[in-house]
Amino acid sequence: MSNIEQFLPQKPGPSLVVQLGILAVMTSAAIGMGWLSGSYLKSESTPVEQAEAEAPKAHGAKEVAAEHGPASEAAGTLVQLPAITANLAAPDTMWIRLEVSLVLDAPQSVDLAERVHQDLLAFVRTLRIHQVQGASAFRHLKTDLDERAAIRSDGHVKEVLIRTLLFE
């Protein structure tokens, strides 16, 4: 066996000069990429600083809009509904607590929010646990809540925002 090992040619590795050259090229590439990334990020931070400088001006514009009445304000009103606490249809020992807010197209009466709240409460009582397990089921639940609220409000509710969803 020692005769076979003697006849195998030994492969020479790269020389020390080649290794140092590759190290120098890789180091300079890393420094260049870091410099480019830093200058890019620095240029991106300037609009934020400009926005902070313009923030007092925008606040003054909101005060002017508020003086001119609700017609000049941006469309959309946020209404928080009272928390919905109910048991699920199956299993009936499981409870749900749902806190939602409604995005309305314009300010509406309190009666509208109350009707939507009662409709959502009735809908939550019909849910089964498999209907709310997982991300896609949560998305379907949100879509159902949006549709029910829009129907109950004759289209005044644009979106239902789920703030809290707890199961016990």
Side-chain angles (χ1 to χ4, degrees):
M1 289 222 194
S2 64
N3 291 335
I4 295 173
E5 289 176 4
Q6 291 176 356
F7 292 116
L8 290 176
Q10 293 184 356
K11 296 181 182 178
S15 69
L16 184 61
V17 175
V18 172
Q19 288 180 355
L20 289 176
I22 291 174
L23 179 65
V25 168
M26 295 296 287
T27 302
S28 62
I31 290 171
M33 290 300 292
W35 180 74
L36 288 173
S37 298
S39 60
Y40 174 75
L41 291 174
K42 186 173 182 180
S43 69
E44 287 292 318
S45 67
T46 354
V48 172
E49 294 166 357
Q50 291 173 354
E52 289 175 356
E54 294 174 1
K57 296 176 189 174
H59 182 64
K62 286 182 183 176
E63 292 175 356
V64 171
E67 292 172 1
H68 293 299
S72 63
E73 291 181 9
T77 304
L78 187 68
V79 176
Q80 285 185 339
L81 295 181
I84 296 172
T85 305
N87 59 333
L88 296 177
D92 59 353
T93 58
M94 182 169 282
W95 286 79
I96 183 173
R97 179 179 171 91
L98 179 67
E99 294 179 8
V100 296
S101 296
L102 303 176
V103 178
L104 302 170
D105 58 354
Q108 300 293 326
S109 67
V110 178
D111 182 46
L112 176 84
E114 228 9 78
R115 282 186 291 151
V116 171
H117 179 264
Q118 291 302 317
D119 190 49
L120 295 181
L121 174 64
F123 174 70
V124 166
R125 286 184 176 168
T126 64
L127 290 176
R128 298 177 184 275
I129 189 63
H130 67 83
Q131 292 176 305
V132 289
Q133 287 179 333
S136 62
F138 177 77
R139 185 68 189 145
H140 290 298
L141 171 67
K142 181 167 179 352
T143 304
D144 290 342
L145 293 175
D146 287 342
E147 289 175 2
R148 290 185 71 91
I151 290 170
R152 180 59 68 178
S153 68
D154 297 325
H156 292 295
V157 175
K158 297 301 176 193
E159 187 177 6
V160 175
L161 304 175
I162 298 176
R163 294 183 294 135
T164 306
L165 179 63
L166 297 173
F167 295 97
E168 183 180 313

